[in-house]
Amino acid sequence: MRRSTSSKGAENPIDAVGARISFAHNEVIFQAGQPSEHIYKVEVGCIRAYSKLRGNRRVDLAFYFPGDYFGFETRDKHSISAEAVVSTTLLAISAMTLLARSATDVAVARYMLDITSRELTRAQKYRLLLHRSADERVAQFLLAMKKRCCRNEIELIMPRRDIGDHLNLSIESVSRSLTRLHNSNAITLEKWRYVTVNFDRLSILKSNFPASAVSS
Amino acid sequence: MRRSTSSKGAENPIDAVGARISFAHNEVIFQAGQPSEHIYKVEVGCIRAYSKLRGNRRVDLAFYFPGDYFGFETRDKHSISAEAVVSTTLLAISAMTLLARSATDVAVARYMLDITSRELTRAQKYRLLLHRSADERVAQFLLAMKKRCCRNEIELIMPRRDIGDHLNLSIESVSRSLTRLHNSNAITLEKWRYVTVNFDRLSILKSNFPASAVSS
DNA sequence: CGGTTTGTTGATTTAAATCAAAAAAGGTGG
DNA sequence: CCACCTTTTTTGATTTAAATCAACAAACCG
């Protein structure tokens, strides 16, 4: 972990308080049970938030990309863990400072509510995803990735293992779904970690979801 | 739907604004897409919040019991739907009034954050549940029900269909899991909708979850 | 280049869905 | 209270989607 000078540009009520920290590939940001002293904003890279189940199994609850906030808890301890998927730079914002400010500044309180609310929407959306077939889960995941990078060529920055732990599929099933989607021309698997999506074809699967769950 | 006089006893910063409304068995409270004008608190009965999937399939995201709040949205439209499982009385609190108050009263803003945060914890917990076997899902569901009514004798107020839609299981699988749990003496199926749980035996399954996910 | 990690493909098993039918509970009206 | 009908639940047989087991291939890395 490497610290550097604090952020200066404040486009919103909370970032100004933050300090920049860098993490290496697979480095732990925090673990479930540890005191929740900061909330984080991704500047560059990718974070996985997960819970551990018995037998080394893991559930990847979410991936966070530049601009996303994570690690916010109302309790004093983290309920989940977080790791850097790749080399990542974060903005770490003191939870105590934030709490103090939110007590007087309504804009800050509102901002915290928005972050939590967005997280809830995301959690509900992925919950719906788990009620669908392997191919639909992978397709929806790719669409979500596409939405973030805004290009049809997606870099699957995380390994198959992570995708599987996120979608509740074995790595083999993820791989098979990808090849099936490739064979049906819904995607093109360029070179392993690079996927080009055919939005219209993938969206056939997407249409099985309620409109409200497709956003973000 | 039947309206009555507004609530008088205000034990917290938001209930005082509410008006009491009654709903019959299976009556719709609100549907996805409708304007979100109120948030609700259950006084008596039970509510199911759900999303519809293609082909009449439904995902029951949560059940709400007396004391629970639901229907709170940061957006102006409901993203999910809600129905009364049985005859239910609610407290309906104007979202606009609430928003106005939260702009000046920090206690109200904090209360909204707590409600949303609790909902997020619940959503994450159930998300983890979907990564486990049918028997574990049913067992965990029964433990959650037990926790709410605080007695070992649980009334399964909702039909098997609802439990299945909640746990992503067919009604047959729910039924089979219940009989398996009964045969292994983890529960006693008294008379159809009445279950007595053997906490210690059920908890063997529960122990497969991370500590943080077991609460509530 | 060899060794390690990561991903794909194939064969087999398995948990849960589906299909099908019977049994139990609930309701209605005589 | 009972006969009749509907709804809900249970149980059994079969199918199926995904997991697991096993081997191989491709990328990565010193």
Side-chain angles (χ1 to χ4, degrees), chain B residues 65-115:
Chain B
F65 294 93
D68 292 339
Y69 292 91
F70 71 96
F72 177 53
E73 307 267 352
T74 340
R75 317 279 172 80
D76 58 345
K77 285 177 192 302
H78 285 293
S79 61
I80 58 175
S81 308
E83 291 175 0
V85 176
V86 293
S87 292
T88 298
T89 306
L90 301 176
L91 206 57
I93 301 156
S94 159
M96 223 168 65
T97 308
L98 216 53
L99 193 68
R101 292 216 179 179
S102 72
T104 54
D105 187 344
V106 176
V108 172
R110 172 72 200 184
Y111 206 71
M112 305 313 294
L113 179 57
D114 281 346
I115 291 170

Side-chain angles (χ1 to χ4, degrees), chain B residues 159-160 172 175-176 179 192-193:
Chain B
R160 300 283 190 267
E172 294 96 329
S175 180
R176 277 185 245 270
T179 46
W192 203 358
R193 289 207 167 168

